[in-house]
């Protein structure tokens, strides 16, 4: 168990809908990273937050947004969902601002858009 | 050309075999190189982390980096059925930069 908790584990929703994925980082970790994993694209970095502030942005669509709350948990919001958004979404956390290599991954949320 | 290329496999070997997993990359700015293991329906877990060229050994695992060839390898000695997983290479330009992952190689070790 990595100590990173993601909910829900599975999510099935219809096109056009909006969903929220939640991540609780390991105790004491200030950085949270979100990744998307699909069969054709592999694991893609979406966005990073450090202590409540956005620190880095990757291949995140405008329909997607994220935030990190004062208690350090993070939420990834996906809106106007399309079939192609079906993927595994991982959250990872690390204790420091920039050392992403030391990040610990959660178990992921499997999103299926039908 | 993708920044990181990794043969997706699948790779199937008998128990006890030496396994070689490889990635090539195109961005010469990459300085840190990692290998992650991902079991089915689980998140990736960090196996090995190396900086710059050279070898690093940890138990049955050896990571090798050849920056002149832009080529990294992970060797698994005395492979076990419990090593069956997808292995992802990853790299970045420095500790403040995002990770770029390969697509992963699916390994099956048969008893």
């Amino acid at each position: 168990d990595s100590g990173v908790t993601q909910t829900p584990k599975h999510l099935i929703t219809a096109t056009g809908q909006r969903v929220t994925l939640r991540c609780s980082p390991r105790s004491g970790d200030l950085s949270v990273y979100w990744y998307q994993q699909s069969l054709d694209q592999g694991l893609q970095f979406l966005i990073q937050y450090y202590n409540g502030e956005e620190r880095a942005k990757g291949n995140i669509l405008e329909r997607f947004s994220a935030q990190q709350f004062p208690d350090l948990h993070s939420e990834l919001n996906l809106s106007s969902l399309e079939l192609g958004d079906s993927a595994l979404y991982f959250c990872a956390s690390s204790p420091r601002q920039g050392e992403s290599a030391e990040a610990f991954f959660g178990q992921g949320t499997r999103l299926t858009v039908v | 050309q993708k920044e990181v290329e990794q043969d997706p496999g699948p790779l199937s070997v008998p128990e006890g075999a030496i396994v070689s997993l490889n990635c090539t990359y195109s961005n010469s700015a990459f300085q840190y190189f990692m290998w992650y293991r991902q079991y089915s329906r689980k998140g990736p877990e960090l196996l090995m982390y190396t900086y710059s060229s050279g070898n690093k050994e940890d138990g049955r695992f050896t990571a090798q980096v050849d920056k002149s060839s832009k080529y990294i390898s992970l060797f698994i000695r005395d492979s076990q059925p419990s090593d069956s997983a997808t292995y992802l290479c990853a790299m970045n330009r420095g500790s403040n930069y995002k990770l770029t992952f390969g697509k992963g190689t699916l390994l099956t070790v048969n008893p």
Side-chain angles (χ1 to χ4, degrees), chain A residues 37 40 90 98-101 106, chain B residues 36 38 43-44 46 95-97 103:
Chain A
Q37 187 175 39
D40 56 340
F90 287 104
E99 298 196 20
S100 55
Chain B
Y36 286 80
Q38 185 176 18
L46 181 64
S95 60
N96 288 324
Y97 293 89
K103 286 193 180 179

Side-chain angles (χ1 to χ4, degrees), chain A residues 35 37 40-43 45 90 98-101 103 105-107 110, chain B residues 34 36 38 41-44 46 49 92 95-99 101 103:
Chain A
Y35 291 86
Q37 187 175 39
D40 56 340
Q41 293 294 323
L43 202 59
F45 169 73
F90 287 104
E99 298 196 20
S100 55
F105 283 76
Q107 303 281 46
R110 183 175 295 276
Chain B
M34 304 100 202
Y36 286 80
Q38 185 176 18
R41 302 180 186 280
K42 303 287 187 185
L46 181 64
Y49 174 29
N92 65 7
S95 60
N96 288 324
Y97 293 89
K98 68 177 181 71
L99 290 173
F101 283 84
K103 286 193 180 179

